[in-house]
Amino acid sequence: MVVVHTRYWSVAVGEGAASWEAGLRGGITMASTRYTFGDDFTAADYDAVSDWAQNSAGVALATALERRLGTLVRCIPAFDLTTTTPTTIGLGDSFVGGFIAALASER
């Protein structure tokens, strides 16, 4: 299994890709929350971000990848983020932390 995340989407590629969906969503949500709110975000901020609209470029790519590759891929669009004070340091770490936490709470 290969997992990649970008500003616009995250994807798992390989057999059983759909089983990683919760991790992909958790990673996107955590990294998006940190990007938007910085170090001082709250659980309420995290919950609010999970309800935000998805990025249209991510939606288009996710749709195209899943149409082309079927069950070998699960692609989740990222959120449409707007902030005047983005935090960009540590987003990869935030994604991984959110990914692992989501998988742990799912199991």
Side-chain angles (χ1 to χ4, degrees):
M1 182 64 54
V2 174
V3 172
V4 177
H5 82 97
T6 75
R7 177 180 180 178
Y8 302 108
W9 46 265
S10 67
V11 66
V13 181
E15 293 294 326
S19 67
W20 299 98
E21 181 173 345
L24 297 172
R25 289 188 187 282
I28 287 171
T29 304
M30 183 63 74
S32 297
T33 303
R34 177 169 173 73
Y35 176 86
T36 305
F37 296 103
D39 293 330
D40 298 324
F41 68 84
T42 65
D45 295 331
Y46 178 89
D47 291 341
V49 167
S50 68
D51 291 331
W52 288 358
Q54 294 177 321
N55 176 281
S56 61
V59 170
L61 179 73
T63 301
L65 278 177
E66 291 184 0
R67 193 174 293 143
R68 183 176 182 127
L69 298 176
T71 60
L72 287 176
V73 65
R74 183 66 179 123
C75 187
I76 306 296
F79 300 108
D80 194 12
L81 303 175
T82 303
T83 181
T84 57
T85 57
T87 299
T88 58
I89 304 298
L91 295 181
D93 294 336
S94 296
F95 178 87
V96 170
F99 184 91
I100 292 169
L103 291 177
S105 67
E106 180 183 58
R107 300 186 199 304

